[in-house]
Amino acid sequence: MKVIFEKKSAVAYVTINRPERLNACDFETYGRLAEIWTEFQADRDLRVAIFTGAGDRAFCAGSDIKSNYIERTGRENARTPYAAMLELTKPIIAAINGHANGGGLEQALACDIRVAAEHAQFGLGEVRLGWLPGGGGTQRLPRLIPLGRALEMLYTGNRIGAADALRLGLVDYVVPMSGLIARAEEIAAEICKSAPLAVQKIKEVALRGLDLPLADGLRLEHRAYQALTETDDAREGALAFAEKRSPDWKGK
């Protein structure tokens, strides 16, 4: 099984399971990830996902060069996860347990919150192969970290460590490997305390607003706010606050 998909209460656990290949993705793995993200979005019981790699050496070392570009195994039915991740309204927490290179870093960049182990390494090495990052690297990285540092990483293919990634804002937390999943689970648990429709709408509005002038973004926000005030969850939230109890969210 090249990708493990587990559901525990409201949390999905998605694990790339090719540790012998540093969790590099062949086309079958990419395709399965696309299917999983589509299923995650459609499952009303799932609220947030934790995305990681098997073992303690790599989150994902990128594309499996031998399989995908030399042998071209499965290329005729190739599907990548990036489009499916772009459509998600539910949050993903990346638990980066080692190398995140090429397509691995691009998948981490497509997540909402990134927690890294202290030994994690980050890079986009496609330029050293005569390519450019085709899974969002040239677009997401410069939006996340200072432009000069992003371009340096893109031009050289050089890697940075977890401490530099934290300082630049590429990751949000750096923790010992032994506490990596636990930290991701703490964040997931806090998200699950919030109203699910509100979380999804916040993600949608915040990300869409990045590409809009401020006035248009504020109008988008206001429409979303108005829509949420009409939901059962909004009424439940107000009632629970008044009654000094935890709300019982229904996602309606």
Side-chain angles (χ1 to χ4, degrees), residues 103-125:
L105 177 51
E106 289 175 305
Q107 290 183 78
L109 290 171
C111 297
D112 300 276
I113 299 167
R114 285 164 289 277
V115 183
E118 293 169 329
H119 68 288
Q121 296 279 320
F122 304 84
L124 292 167

Side-chain angles (χ1 to χ4, degrees), residues 3-250:
V3 186
I4 300 170
F5 182 28
E6 301 173 290
K7 304 176 184 181
K8 300 179 182 179
S9 187
V11 181
Y13 290 76
V14 180
T15 306
I16 302 174
N17 187 35
R18 303 187 78 212
E20 74 286 354
R21 300 289 297 164
L22 294 180
N23 296 317
C25 293
D26 59 9
F27 286 127
E28 181 183 351
T29 305
Y30 275 140
R32 179 60 184 138
L33 284 166
E35 293 172 353
I36 286 170
W37 294 129
T38 300
E39 182 177 342
F40 167 63
Q41 177 66 24
D43 191 328
R44 290 175 56 87
D45 293 330
L46 294 175
R47 305 272 302 281
V48 59
I50 295 174
F51 184 26
T52 192
D56 59 6
R57 296 178 63 198
F59 170 73
C60 173
S63 291
D64 187 324
I65 303 300
K66 180 180 178 181
S67 175
N68 293 358
Y69 298 99
I70 298 175
E71 298 172 354
R72 296 177 176 265
T73 306
R75 190 177 182 87
E76 63 279 1
N77 297 314
R79 184 186 178 198
T80 62
Y82 305 109
M85 296 179 83
L86 187 63
E87 297 300 317
L88 291 176
T89 60
K90 300 177 182 180
I92 307 175
I93 302 164
I96 302 167
N97 54 309
H99 287 287
N101 302 322
L105 177 51
E106 289 175 305
Q107 290 183 78
L109 290 171
C111 297
D112 300 276
I113 299 167
R114 285 164 289 277
V115 183
E118 293 169 329
H119 68 288
Q121 296 279 320
F122 304 84
L124 292 167
E126 287 87 345
V127 70
R128 297 294 180 95
L129 298 171
W131 314 334
L132 60 74
T138 66
Q139 300 305 302
R140 285 194 168 100
L141 190 64
R143 286 168 163 81
L144 191 63
I145 70 174
L147 179 60
R149 292 305 306 274
L151 291 175
E152 180 184 358
M153 290 180 67
L154 289 162
Y155 293 158
T156 66
N158 290 340
R159 300 172 186 172
I160 64 172
D164 279 343
L166 180 63
R167 181 173 54 82
L168 291 170
L170 178 53
V171 300
D172 303 293
Y173 300 95
V174 173
V175 299
M177 179 63 195
S178 60
L180 180 67
I181 296 300
R183 185 68 185 103
E185 289 176 333
E186 289 172 1
I187 299 169
E190 289 299 309
I191 291 172
C192 287
K193 294 177 183 178
S194 302
L197 294 181
V199 169
Q200 292 180 46
K201 190 59 71 173
I202 286 169
K203 174 171 180 172
E204 177 187 348
V205 170
L207 295 184
R208 285 182 60 192
L210 292 175
D211 296 323
L212 297 174
L214 178 58
D216 291 341
L218 291 171
R219 283 189 282 269
L220 177 67
E221 177 188 79
H222 181 70
R223 290 194 297 271
Y225 171 80
Q226 291 292 101
L228 284 172
T229 61
E230 300 300 318
T231 64
D232 292 344
D233 276 356
R235 287 184 283 274
E236 166 63 10
L239 186 61
F241 178 82
E243 296 176 351
K244 295 182 172 56
R245 61 173 174 81
S246 297
D248 180 18
W249 305 122
K250 300 298 185 183

